C-alpha cells in the first residue's frame, strides 16, 4: 500500500517514472477544466484525443511548440480544441465552440501554410482553422463518413480516413472560385469493413524503406484495433484501382497511378 500511495502522489505531481523505462514525463494538464479566451475558468465535455504541435510557420496566435488537443467528448460530441502554450499555465480554448461547428473532433494536423486541419467526426466534415482559432474553411463531401484520421504531405494534399466505412480519402486544393477555396475529394483505398467503427490513424512519409526497396510518397494507414497496416506509395497521385482497392491486412500498394 505504501508503494501505491507513493506512486499516486508522484503521479499527482505530474511525473511518471515507470513507463517502459522512460522518465521525467510531465503531465501537461486537464482538458476538462480550462480557461475561455477571456481567461475565465470553464468546464467542458472532455475526452482528449488528437494532438498537434504548432510549427514555427503557424502564424500569429500560435508559437512554435504550442500544443493543440481535441476534446472528442465522452459522448463523441465534444466541441473544444484546447491550446497549451509552450510555457507554464492552464489550457485555453483555441476555437470558438459555440459558432464554428466543432462536434466530436478527433485527429488534427498543420499544413504547409500553417492552417490547422481537424477531422470533425460527428459533424462529418473537416474544419480548417487559422492560427487564431477561427474557421477559414469547412470542407464537406459525400465521401465523408465519420472523418477520423488526418495527415498532410509536403504538397499540402490532405489525407482523411473514415471510421464508419474504413475508406481512405485525399483532398486536393483546386484553386479559387469567386473567392472561395475549391477542393477535390478522391477515394484512394479502403480497408475491409468491420462490424464496429474502424478508427484509422494516418501518417505520411516522403520515403519508406521496406526490405531492399525504397517507397516514395508513402501514406501509412494504421488500424490498431484490427491489427492492420497498409502502406500506399505514390499517394499524391493514387486513385482507386478499377474502383476497388480494398486492403484486408498488412500490405503495400506499389502500382503507379496517374
Amino acid at each position: 500500500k505504501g508503494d501505491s500511495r507513493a506512486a499516486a502522489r508522484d503521479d499527482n505531481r505530474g511525473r511518471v517514472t515507470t513507463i517502459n523505462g522512460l522518465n521525467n514525463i510531465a503531465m501537461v494538464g486537464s482538458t476538462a477544466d480550462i480557461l475561455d479566451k477571456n481567461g475565465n475558468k470553464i468546464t467542458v465535455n472532455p475526452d482528449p484525443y488528437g494532438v498537434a504541435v504548432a510549427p514555427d510557420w503557424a502564424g500569429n496566435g500560435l508559437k512554435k511548440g504550442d500544443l493543440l488537443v481535441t476534446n472528442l467528448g465522452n459522448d463523441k460530441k465534444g466541441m473544444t480544441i484546447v491550446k497549451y502554450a509552450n510555457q507554464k499555465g492552464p489550457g485555453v480554448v483555441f476555437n470558438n465552440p459555440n459558432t464554428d461547428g466543432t462536434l466530436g473532433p478527433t485527429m488534427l494536423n498543420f499544413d504547409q501554410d500553417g492552417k490547422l486541419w481537424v477531422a470533425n467526426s460527428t459533424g462529418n466534415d473537416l474544419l480548417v482553422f487559422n492560427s487564431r482559432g477561427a474557421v477559414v474553411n469547412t470542407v464537406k463531401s459525400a465521401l465523408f463518413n465519420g472523418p477520423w484520421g488526418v495527415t498532410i504531405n509536403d504538397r499540402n494534399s490532405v489525407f482523411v480516413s473514415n471510421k464508419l466505412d474504413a475508406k481512405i480519402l485525399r483532398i486536393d486544393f483546386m484553386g479559387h472560385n469567386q473567392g472561395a477555396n475549391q477542393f477535390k475529394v478522391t477515394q484512394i483505398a479502403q480497408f475491409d469493413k468491420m462490424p464496429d467503427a474502424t478508427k484509422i490513424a494516418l501518417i505520411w512519409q516522403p520515403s519508406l524503406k521496406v526490405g531492399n526497396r525504397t517507397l516514395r510518397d508513402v501514406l501509412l494507414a494504421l488500424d490498431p484495433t484490427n491489427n492492420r497496416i497498409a502502406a500506399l506509395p505514390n499517394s499524391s497521385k493514387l486513385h482507386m484501382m478499377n474502383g476497388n482497392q480494398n486492403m484486408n491486412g498488412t500490405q503495400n500498394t506499389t502500382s503507379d497511378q496517374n
Side-chain angles (χ1 to χ4, degrees), residues 144-194:
F144 291 160
N145 198 358
W148 195 265
V150 60
T151 193
I152 304 172
N153 68 12
D154 57 0
R155 305 176 190 180
N156 260 3
S157 291
V158 180
F159 300 93
V160 182
S161 61
N162 285 340
K163 71 174 182 179
L164 297 179
D165 58 18
K167 290 180 179 179
I168 312 293
L169 313 172
R170 185 182 65 243
I171 304 173
D172 296 304
F173 175 65
M174 303 302 291
H176 301 277
N177 183 11
Q178 297 182 348
N181 291 333
Q182 300 294 305
F183 300 94
K184 178 181 179 181
V185 182
T186 304
Q187 181 181 344
I188 63 174
Q190 183 177 16
F191 274 116
D192 283 351
K193 291 175 63 176
M194 294 296 179

Side-chain angles (χ1 to χ4, degrees), residues 1-9:
K1 291 184 179 178
D3 289 342
S4 63
R5 286 196 298 267
R9 288 196 300 271

Side-chain angles (χ1 to χ4, degrees), residues 102-153:
T102 301
L103 191 64
T106 55
M107 305 304 291
L108 64 172
N109 218 313
F110 284 93
D111 66 17
Q112 301 301 313
D113 299 321
K115 301 294 191 298
L116 181 68
W117 289 69
V118 179
N120 202 32
S121 64
T122 305
N124 202 41
D125 51 27
L126 261 74
L127 301 178
V128 187
F129 292 86
N130 64 18
S131 59
R132 296 190 179 278
V135 171
V136 295
N137 279 295
T138 299
V139 183
K140 297 180 177 294
S141 171
L143 290 173
F144 291 160
N145 198 358
W148 195 265
V150 60
T151 193
I152 304 172
N153 68 12

